[in-house]
Amino acid sequence: PAMTRLHTAIKARLDKAIREYHMLAEEDAVLVAVSGGADSMALLDLLSLHIWTFVKCVSLYAVYIDLGFGGRSDERCQKMEAYFRQLRVQYKIVRTDIGPYAHSDANRERPCFLCSRLKRKKIFETAEELGCNKIAFGHHKDDIIETLLMNMIWNREISTMAPNLAVFQGKYHVLRPLAYVDEEMLKRFCCERLTPTIEQECPT
C-alpha cells in the first residue's frame, strides 16, 4: 500500500539522519532495542520496511529485554513475539529480573539508574551473542533536546546523545535513527499503523 503523508514525512527524516551520520554500511548486523513503547516499536517498523533502501546486505534483529515487573511477563513476551512475527523480523526475547532487583533492598543506588545500566549491559551481551555491530535505540528529537537541557542544568556542560556513537573501541556503534523525528509524529504513526504497545508495570 502507498505510504501516508505522515509515513513519508517520517521516512524523509529517517533518511536524513541515517545518511548524514553514516549509520549503515554493507554487511552490518543491526540490533534494534525494543522496549514495547511507541518510539522503539515505530523504529523497528520503519527499519523493517526501509533498511534495505540504504544497504542491500544487512541483518536486522529485534531484541526485547523483559524487566520482570509484575505478574504479566508471559503476556508481554507473547505480545512482543507476535509483533516481531507480524513484521517478519529475526528476534530474540530475553527474560530478566532486573526490575525487581533494582527496586529491592539489595540495591543501594537509584532504581532507575541501576535498571537502565543493567538493561543496557544485557543489550550489549545480546549484541555479542547475535554478532551485531550496530545497536539502534528509539531516542527521538525530543529526547535529544531534553538530554541537552538536563546536562546544561544539572551537569553544567553542553552535551547530548550522539546520533552515531562508537563504543568499546569501535566494536559497536550506538545509533539513533529517529534523531530528527518529533515524539508527537511517532505517536501518530503508531496510531495510524495500529502498532501495539506494552507497559512494564514499573512501580517507579
Side-chain angles (χ1 to χ4, degrees):
M3 292 195 302
T4 64
R5 288 179 62 184
L6 175 63
H7 190 160
T8 301
I10 291 176
K11 184 180 182 296
R13 297 185 185 203
L14 181 80
D15 284 4
K16 182 180 179 184
I18 289 175
R19 297 186 194 283
E20 195 169 291
Y21 289 98
H22 309 288
M23 293 186 183
L24 297 173
E26 296 294 340
E27 309 294 339
D28 274 345
V30 182
L31 182 159
V32 183
V34 186
S35 67
D39 308 331
S40 61
M41 298 288 261
L43 174 62
L44 178 63
D45 191 4
L46 289 160
L47 289 179
S48 73
L49 291 169
H50 304 300
I51 195 169
W52 289 275
T53 65
F54 304 103
V55 283
K56 298 302 179 188
C57 186
V58 63
S59 299
L60 184 68
Y61 296 89
V63 171
Y64 169 64
I65 311 292
D66 191 81
L67 300 176
F69 285 116
R72 299 209 298 267
S73 179
D74 287 346
E75 181 184 329
R76 291 193 298 268
C77 291
Q78 288 165 9
K79 279 187 176 180
M80 294 304 293
E81 183 171 19
Y83 185 61
F84 296 156
R85 287 178 178 274
Q86 178 187 325
L87 296 183
R88 298 180 180 178
V89 296
Q90 301 177 85
Y91 66 89
K92 184 173 179 64
I93 292 171
V94 182
R95 294 170 179 260
T96 74
D97 62 352
I98 288 172
Y101 174 74
H103 286 78
S104 72
D105 293 338
N107 173 32
R108 298 181 181 277
E109 303 181 62
R110 298 188 308 276
C112 296
F113 174 78
L114 183 62
C115 190
S116 176
R117 183 157 59 85
L118 292 177
K119 182 180 177 183
R120 186 70 62 98
K121 181 173 182 284
K122 186 64 70 175
I123 287 170
F124 279 106
E125 288 173 354
T126 307
E128 172 79 22
E129 180 186 331
L130 296 174
C132 295
N133 63 317
K134 303 284 176 73
I135 299 171
F137 289 104
H139 299 127
H140 45 67
K141 186 171 78 172
D142 299 64
D143 290 325
I144 291 173
I145 293 169
E146 286 172 10
T147 302
L148 170 65
L149 294 173
M150 288 171 65
N151 285 340
M152 290 172 65
I153 293 167
W154 300 110
N155 299 330
R156 300 181 184 179
E157 63 179 36
I158 298 177
S159 67
T160 190
M161 298 182 288
N164 184 353
L165 178 66
V167 295
F168 297 111
Q169 291 78 48
K171 181 177 181 179
Y172 304 108
H173 279 75
V174 172
L175 309 179
R176 296 181 172 93
L178 301 177
Y180 292 137
V181 183
D182 301 273
E183 181 180 21
E184 176 268 338
M185 295 176 74
L186 292 169
K187 291 190 184 306
R188 285 196 289 124
F189 180 73
C190 284
C191 289
E192 186 176 274
R193 299 275 293 174
L194 302 178
T195 305
T197 58
I198 62 169
E199 296 294 333
Q200 285 291 339
E201 296 185 82
C202 172
T204 303

